[in-house]
Short mmCIF file of all heavy atoms in Angstrom, two decimals:
data_model
loop_
_atom_site.label_atom_id
_atom_site.label_comp_id
_atom_site.label_asym_id
_atom_site.label_seq_id
_atom_site.Cartn_x
_atom_site.Cartn_y
_atom_site.Cartn_z
N SER A 3 200.06 203.89 142.14
CA SER A 3 199.67 205.29 142.33
C SER A 3 199.38 205.62 143.79
O SER A 3 199.56 206.76 144.23
CB SER A 3 198.43 205.62 141.48
OG SER A 3 197.38 204.74 141.80
N PHE A 4 198.94 204.62 144.56
CA PHE A 4 198.63 204.83 145.98
C PHE A 4 199.40 203.80 146.80
O PHE A 4 199.15 202.60 146.69
CB PHE A 4 197.13 204.70 146.22
CG PHE A 4 196.71 205.00 147.63
CD1 PHE A 4 196.79 206.30 148.14
CD2 PHE A 4 196.23 204.00 148.46
CE1 PHE A 4 196.41 206.58 149.44
CE2 PHE A 4 195.84 204.28 149.76
CZ PHE A 4 195.93 205.58 150.25
N PRO A 5 200.38 204.23 147.60
CA PRO A 5 201.30 203.29 148.24
C PRO A 5 200.79 202.61 149.50
O PRO A 5 201.42 201.67 149.99
CB PRO A 5 202.51 204.17 148.58
CG PRO A 5 201.92 205.53 148.81
CD PRO A 5 200.77 205.63 147.84
N LYS A 6 199.67 203.04 150.04
CA LYS A 6 199.21 202.48 151.31
C LYS A 6 198.31 201.26 151.10
O LYS A 6 197.52 201.22 150.16
CB LYS A 6 198.47 203.55 152.12
CG LYS A 6 199.38 204.66 152.60
CD LYS A 6 198.66 205.60 153.54
CE LYS A 6 199.61 206.68 154.06
NZ LYS A 6 198.95 207.61 154.99
N ALA A 7 198.45 200.29 152.00
CA ALA A 7 197.65 199.07 151.94
C ALA A 7 196.39 199.24 152.79
O ALA A 7 196.48 199.49 153.99
CB ALA A 7 198.46 197.88 152.44
N GLU A 8 195.22 199.09 152.16
CA GLU A 8 193.96 199.26 152.88
C GLU A 8 192.96 198.15 152.59
O GLU A 8 191.93 198.05 153.24
CB GLU A 8 193.32 200.61 152.50
CG GLU A 8 194.13 201.82 152.96
CD GLU A 8 193.44 203.13 152.63
OE1 GLU A 8 192.61 203.14 151.71
OE2 GLU A 8 193.75 204.13 153.31
N ASN A 9 193.28 197.31 151.62
CA ASN A 9 192.38 196.22 151.22
C ASN A 9 193.25 194.98 151.02
O ASN A 9 193.62 194.63 149.91
CB ASN A 9 191.64 196.62 149.93
CG ASN A 9 190.45 195.75 149.65
OD1 ASN A 9 189.86 195.16 150.55
ND2 ASN A 9 190.10 195.63 148.37
N LEU A 10 193.56 194.30 152.11
CA LEU A 10 194.65 193.33 152.15
C LEU A 10 194.32 192.02 151.44
O LEU A 10 193.26 191.43 151.65
CB LEU A 10 195.02 193.02 153.60
CG LEU A 10 195.34 194.22 154.49
CD1 LEU A 10 195.60 193.76 155.92
CD2 LEU A 10 196.55 194.99 153.95
N ASP A 11 195.27 191.56 150.62
CA ASP A 11 195.19 190.22 150.04
C ASP A 11 195.76 189.18 150.99
O ASP A 11 195.33 188.02 150.97
CB ASP A 11 195.97 190.18 148.72
CG ASP A 11 195.35 191.07 147.66
OD1 ASP A 11 194.40 190.63 147.01
OD2 ASP A 11 195.81 192.23 147.52
N LEU A 12 196.74 189.59 151.78
CA LEU A 12 197.39 188.69 152.73
C LEU A 12 197.67 189.45 154.02
O LEU A 12 198.28 190.52 153.99
CB LEU A 12 198.70 188.15 152.15
CG LEU A 12 199.62 187.37 153.10
CD1 LEU A 12 198.93 186.10 153.60
CD2 LEU A 12 200.94 187.02 152.42
N LEU A 13 197.22 188.89 155.13
CA LEU A 13 197.53 189.43 156.45
C LEU A 13 198.32 188.39 157.22
O LEU A 13 197.85 187.26 157.41
CB LEU A 13 196.25 189.79 157.22
CG LEU A 13 196.44 190.18 158.69
CD1 LEU A 13 197.30 191.43 158.84
CD2 LEU A 13 195.08 190.38 159.39
N VAL A 14 199.52 188.76 157.65
CA VAL A 14 200.34 187.91 158.50
C VAL A 14 200.27 188.52 159.90
O VAL A 14 200.75 189.63 160.12
CB VAL A 14 201.80 187.86 158.01
CG1 VAL A 14 202.64 186.98 158.94
CG2 VAL A 14 201.87 187.35 156.58
N ALA A 15 199.65 187.81 160.84
CA ALA A 15 199.47 188.32 162.20
C ALA A 15 200.23 187.42 163.18
O ALA A 15 199.89 186.24 163.34
CB ALA A 15 197.99 188.36 162.57
N LEU A 16 201.24 188.00 163.81
CA LEU A 16 202.10 187.23 164.71
C LEU A 16 201.82 187.51 166.18
O LEU A 16 202.60 187.13 167.05
CB LEU A 16 203.58 187.53 164.38
CG LEU A 16 203.98 187.25 162.93
CD1 LEU A 16 205.45 187.58 162.71
CD2 LEU A 16 203.70 185.81 162.54
N SER A 17 200.70 188.17 166.46
CA SER A 17 200.24 188.36 167.84
C SER A 17 198.72 188.49 167.83
O SER A 17 198.13 188.82 166.79
CB SER A 17 200.86 189.62 168.46
OG SER A 17 200.30 190.79 167.92
N GLN A 18 198.11 188.24 168.98
CA GLN A 18 196.65 188.34 169.07
C GLN A 18 196.17 189.76 168.81
O GLN A 18 195.18 189.98 168.11
CB GLN A 18 196.19 187.87 170.47
CG GLN A 18 194.68 187.83 170.63
CD GLN A 18 194.05 186.71 169.82
OE1 GLN A 18 194.37 185.54 170.01
NE2 GLN A 18 193.14 187.05 168.92
N GLU A 19 196.88 190.73 169.39
CA GLU A 19 196.48 192.13 169.21
C GLU A 19 196.52 192.53 167.74
O GLU A 19 195.61 193.20 167.24
CB GLU A 19 197.39 193.04 170.03
CG GLU A 19 197.03 194.51 169.93
CD GLU A 19 198.00 195.43 170.65
OE1 GLU A 19 198.98 194.93 171.24
OE2 GLU A 19 197.78 196.65 170.62
N ALA A 20 197.58 192.13 167.05
CA ALA A 20 197.70 192.45 165.62
C ALA A 20 196.57 191.82 164.83
O ALA A 20 195.99 192.46 163.93
CB ALA A 20 199.05 191.99 165.09
N CYS A 21 196.24 190.59 165.16
CA CYS A 21 195.17 189.90 164.45
C CYS A 21 193.83 190.62 164.67
O CYS A 21 193.08 190.87 163.72
CB CYS A 21 195.08 188.46 164.94
SG CYS A 21 193.91 187.46 164.01
N ASN A 22 193.55 190.98 165.91
CA ASN A 22 192.29 191.66 166.23
C ASN A 22 192.21 193.02 165.52
O ASN A 22 191.15 193.42 165.03
CB ASN A 22 192.17 191.88 167.74
CG ASN A 22 192.06 190.58 168.51
OD1 ASN A 22 191.81 189.52 167.94
ND2 ASN A 22 192.26 190.65 169.81
N THR A 23 193.33 193.73 165.49
CA THR A 23 193.35 195.09 164.94
C THR A 23 193.22 195.11 163.43
O THR A 23 192.49 195.94 162.86
CB THR A 23 194.66 195.81 165.35
OG1 THR A 23 194.74 195.84 166.77
CG2 THR A 23 194.69 197.23 164.81
N TYR A 24 193.91 194.20 162.74
CA TYR A 24 194.03 194.31 161.29
C TYR A 24 193.15 193.35 160.48
O TYR A 24 193.03 193.51 159.27
CB TYR A 24 195.50 194.14 160.88
CG TYR A 24 196.38 195.19 161.49
CD1 TYR A 24 197.49 194.83 162.27
CD2 TYR A 24 196.11 196.54 161.33
CE1 TYR A 24 198.30 195.80 162.85
CE2 TYR A 24 196.92 197.51 161.91
CZ TYR A 24 198.00 197.14 162.66
OH TYR A 24 198.80 198.10 163.23
N TYR A 25 192.54 192.37 161.14
CA TYR A 25 191.69 191.44 160.40
C TYR A 25 190.58 192.14 159.61
O TYR A 25 190.27 191.73 158.47
CB TYR A 25 191.10 190.38 161.34
CG TYR A 25 190.16 189.43 160.65
CD1 TYR A 25 190.65 188.48 159.74
CD2 TYR A 25 188.78 189.50 160.85
CE1 TYR A 25 189.80 187.62 159.08
CE2 TYR A 25 187.92 188.65 160.18
CZ TYR A 25 188.43 187.71 159.30
OH TYR A 25 187.57 186.87 158.64
N PRO A 26 189.96 193.22 160.15
CA PRO A 26 188.91 193.90 159.38
C PRO A 26 189.39 194.47 158.03
O PRO A 26 188.57 194.77 157.16
CB PRO A 26 188.47 195.04 160.31
CG PRO A 26 188.78 194.54 161.68
CD PRO A 26 190.06 193.77 161.52
N TYR A 27 190.72 194.62 157.85
CA TYR A 27 191.25 195.16 156.60
C TYR A 27 191.48 194.08 155.53
O TYR A 27 191.85 194.39 154.41
CB TYR A 27 192.57 195.89 156.86
CG TYR A 27 192.42 197.12 157.72
CD1 TYR A 27 192.53 197.03 159.11
CD2 TYR A 27 192.15 198.37 157.15
CE1 TYR A 27 192.38 198.16 159.92
CE2 TYR A 27 192.01 199.50 157.95
CZ TYR A 27 192.12 199.38 159.33
OH TYR A 27 191.97 200.50 160.12
N LEU A 28 191.28 192.81 155.92
CA LEU A 28 191.50 191.71 154.97
C LEU A 28 190.31 191.62 154.03
O LEU A 28 189.16 191.53 154.45
CB LEU A 28 191.66 190.40 155.74
CG LEU A 28 192.09 189.17 154.94
CD1 LEU A 28 193.50 189.33 154.38
CD2 LEU A 28 192.01 187.91 155.82
N LYS A 29 190.57 191.65 152.73
CA LYS A 29 189.48 191.62 151.75
C LYS A 29 188.81 190.25 151.73
O LYS A 29 189.39 189.25 152.18
CB LYS A 29 190.00 191.98 150.36
CG LYS A 29 190.94 190.95 149.76
CD LYS A 29 191.16 191.13 148.26
CE LYS A 29 191.75 192.46 147.90
NZ LYS A 29 192.18 192.51 146.49
N GLN A 30 187.61 190.19 151.18
CA GLN A 30 186.92 188.92 151.03
C GLN A 30 187.75 188.02 150.11
O GLN A 30 188.14 188.43 149.02
CB GLN A 30 185.54 189.14 150.44
CG GLN A 30 184.69 187.88 150.41
CD GLN A 30 183.26 188.15 149.97
OE1 GLN A 30 182.90 189.29 149.72
NE2 GLN A 30 182.46 187.12 149.88
N GLY A 31 188.03 186.81 150.56
CA GLY A 31 188.88 185.90 149.79
C GLY A 31 190.35 186.06 150.09
O GLY A 31 191.18 185.30 149.60
N GLY A 32 190.70 187.07 150.93
CA GLY A 32 192.09 187.26 151.34
C GLY A 32 192.54 186.15 152.27
O GLY A 32 191.72 185.41 152.83
N VAL A 33 193.84 186.03 152.45
CA VAL A 33 194.42 184.92 153.22
C VAL A 33 195.00 185.44 154.53
O VAL A 33 195.73 186.44 154.55
CB VAL A 33 195.50 184.19 152.40
CG1 VAL A 33 196.16 183.10 153.21
CG2 VAL A 33 194.88 183.60 151.13
#
């Protein structure tokens, strides 16, 4: 029903900037 990802189960970060920016969106227990 809602297509946007806001509570991530998996974050793949291939740069430092991406990791810094998106890590806060990774849910508790996410990978």
